[in-house]
Amino acid sequence: MALHVVLYQPQIPANTGNIARTCAGTGTSLHLIRPLGFSTDDKQLKRAGLDYWEHVDIHYYDSLEDFFTAYPEGQFFYITKFGTNTYSDFNYSDLELDYFFVFGKETTGLPEELRLANEERCLRIPMNENIRSLNLSNTAAILIYEALRQQNFPKLI
């Protein structure tokens, strides 16, 4: 089926633009859950995505509930520094499934109740104690390319 990046209330336009560019280049769908911390007309957003916006499969939702209602059968993974599993602990190779990588706000992450209700699906990227977290767009790229690597990079040249 497909890979999906879900951004819950993103706040930094350049991060969303960079993620959109990665999505355009990999055939990954992008889902944005409002409220957004910027206008979709923002110059930084458009500059980061360059001229690739027409190739982004992008969807908007007014709430997490609206998003989950639209995709009741997805394989959801919640990306957080509080995850007990690392991103490489899971198998994303089944091309018949939809894999959703859900990211929280840059400043506060995912809602605590969502994390606690899905602890077994909360993933982290290992890092040392010198930083609080990796950049959102870098983290999204790591997850997308790990899943694509496991799938032998379908439809990519």
Side-chain angles (χ1 to χ4, degrees), residues 2-69:
L3 296 178
H4 305 262
V5 169
V6 182
L7 302 181
Y8 172 73
Q9 299 180 354
Q11 298 175 313
I12 301 173
N15 282 337
T16 300
N18 289 331
I19 292 167
R21 184 175 181 173
T22 299
C23 288
T26 59
T28 301
S29 296
L30 178 60
H31 305 266
L32 301 179
I33 300 173
R34 296 180 183 103
L36 308 180
F38 50 85
S39 164
T40 54
D41 294 329
D42 191 291
K43 289 180 183 176
Q44 287 181 322
L45 177 73
K46 290 186 176 183
R47 183 172 33 247
L50 296 174
D51 55 349
Y52 303 112
W53 283 103
E54 68 186 73
H55 303 291
V56 180
D57 177 34
I58 191 166
H59 308 269
Y60 296 90
Y61 307 88
D62 290 326
S63 68
L64 274 171
E65 294 76 23
D66 289 350
F67 166 73
F68 286 121
T69 298

Side-chain angles (χ1 to χ4, degrees), residues 83-102:
T84 55
N85 299 300
T86 63
Y87 73 99
S88 57
D89 287 341
F90 284 86
N91 181 341
Y92 315 106
S93 64
D94 189 338
L95 297 176
E96 299 299 315
L97 297 177
D98 278 308
Y99 297 100
F100 293 84
F101 299 116
V102 183

Side-chain angles (χ1 to χ4, degrees), residues 67-127:
F67 166 73
F68 286 121
T69 298
Y71 297 95
E73 302 297 321
Q75 300 294 306
F76 299 98
F77 296 95
Y78 305 91
I79 315 309
T80 171
K81 67 180 181 180
F82 303 109
T84 55
N85 299 300
T86 63
Y87 73 99
S88 57
D89 287 341
F90 284 86
N91 181 341
Y92 315 106
S93 64
D94 189 338
L95 297 176
E96 299 299 315
L97 297 177
D98 278 308
Y99 297 100
F100 293 84
F101 299 116
V102 183
F103 297 85
K105 290 183 192 181
E106 289 96 335
T107 55
T108 58
L110 292 167
E112 184 177 17
E113 62 276 5
L114 182 64
R115 280 190 338 212
L116 294 175
N118 296 283
E119 286 183 287
E120 71 286 348
R121 293 267 176 165
C122 287
L123 308 181
R124 64 181 172 78
I125 295 177
M127 61 188 139

